[in-house]
Amino acid sequence: MLSETRASHSSRDVTALAHAPHRERVIAFGETLVDCYPDGTVLGGAPFNLACHLAALGAAPVLLTRAGKDSAGRRIERAMRTRGLDTRGFQRDPIRPTGQVAIDTGGARFDILPDQAYDHIHPGLARMIGLSTHPDMVYFGTLAQRGDSRRALRELLEAVDARVFVDVNLRDPWVDVDALRDSLARAQVVKLNEIELNRVAGQFDLDGLTAESRAARLLLAFSIERVIVTCGAAGAWTLDAAGRMDQVAGGRVDRLVDTVGAGDAFAAVFMLGLLRDWSIPDTLARADRFARAICGVRGAIPENAEFYQPFCEAWCTPASAATP
């Protein structure tokens, strides 16, 4: 289980470690929830995970989400504060519960409950957060668009002038084709895994003999600047609108605990690389390294700041001088 006492003690260390030269402003929109394992619970949700990583690595994320007025919601708010997250975008729902997802021991997600607090992010408040934050980038996925929060996302995007990073994160049975189409049309950067790339290509008739050709057709069909495809232990690759492809081979996880949150960790570091103008090869290598490290902890978020220390020390030097 997440130790809130340890997280509280470590938050000051995280702040001290993160000496990035710029405080990149990111709005992470969407779900916060509790991941329920057979032997305990940890906090989760892709936007929450991403925001925690970005804050620990020196950026300035605002998590725009909604939780219930229940013990889980209070736990999420405490964790946000102890981890140094901006809480302006944290809404509380007086009726609906904080989201929950059941997870088996190996990390496979199942039983994502309907009509949770994060499905009802307030549109007017979302717009206000956008106007007051002036973000450099907005991050979101598809899960939080299954309810009223989809309107809140539209209000947010209409209020800001920022690059859009879509982490597709298809979660059955909550895949809405219209929401997916609209998300891709708004995105400059899209991240998905191999299975999701094939599903998206099939859904929108983006035929191609290879994954690379399907990604190229996706870029063209939705005027996307860059597609990132993660391949689990085999690494990842990215293709841009000019046709340049870069890849990282991946590597072994020394002590695999579970894979929950690995994709969110990858997205956080890749986003950081885009915001800090790292080279794409460096960005891929660093994102892959960080994602593999997350596979060595229970849940998506490390309990203490020591986990982040080597990454902060390596990545706060110029990209040309640092080792991925």
Side-chain angles (χ1 to χ4, degrees), residues 106-143:
R109 292 176 178 268
F110 60 95
D111 195 17
I112 302 176
L113 300 179
D115 198 32
Q116 305 292 280
Y118 65 76
D119 293 311
H120 300 275
I121 298 172
H122 193 282
L125 295 177
R127 181 177 181 82
M128 289 175 59
I129 291 299
L131 291 171
S132 64
T133 302
H134 304 292
D136 300 303
M137 190 171 285
V138 174
Y139 165 98
F140 62 89
T142 55
L143 180 59

Side-chain angles (χ1 to χ4, degrees), residues 111-183:
D111 195 17
I112 302 176
L113 300 179
D115 198 32
Q116 305 292 280
Y118 65 76
D119 293 311
H120 300 275
I121 298 172
H122 193 282
L125 295 177
R127 181 177 181 82
M128 289 175 59
I129 291 299
L131 291 171
S132 64
T133 302
H134 304 292
D136 300 303
M137 190 171 285
V138 174
Y139 165 98
F140 62 89
T142 55
L143 180 59
Q145 297 184 61
R146 63 182 184 172
D148 294 339
S149 292
R150 188 175 175 189
R151 180 185 165 199
L153 178 60
R154 289 198 298 267
E155 291 286 335
L156 168 65
L157 294 176
E158 289 171 2
V160 301
D161 180 17
R163 297 179 75 188
V164 172
F165 187 115
V166 172
D167 195 349
V168 171
N169 275 336
L170 299 180
R171 295 290 181 260
D172 291 321
W174 311 111
V175 178
D176 184 306
V177 176
D178 290 335
L180 176 59
R181 181 185 293 106
D182 187 55
S183 298

Side-chain angles (χ1 to χ4, degrees), residues 31 35 60-61 69 116 122-123 127 150 162 166 181 187 203 213 222 245 252 256 277 281 286 302 305 323:
E31 64 274 14
D35 288 328
K69 286 191 173 181
Q116 305 292 280
H122 193 282
R127 181 177 181 82
R150 188 175 175 189
V166 172
R181 181 185 293 106
Q203 184 65 58
S213 62
F222 291 96
M245 181 177 174
R252 184 173 61 89
L256 178 63
D277 294 322
R286 294 172 183 187
T323 299

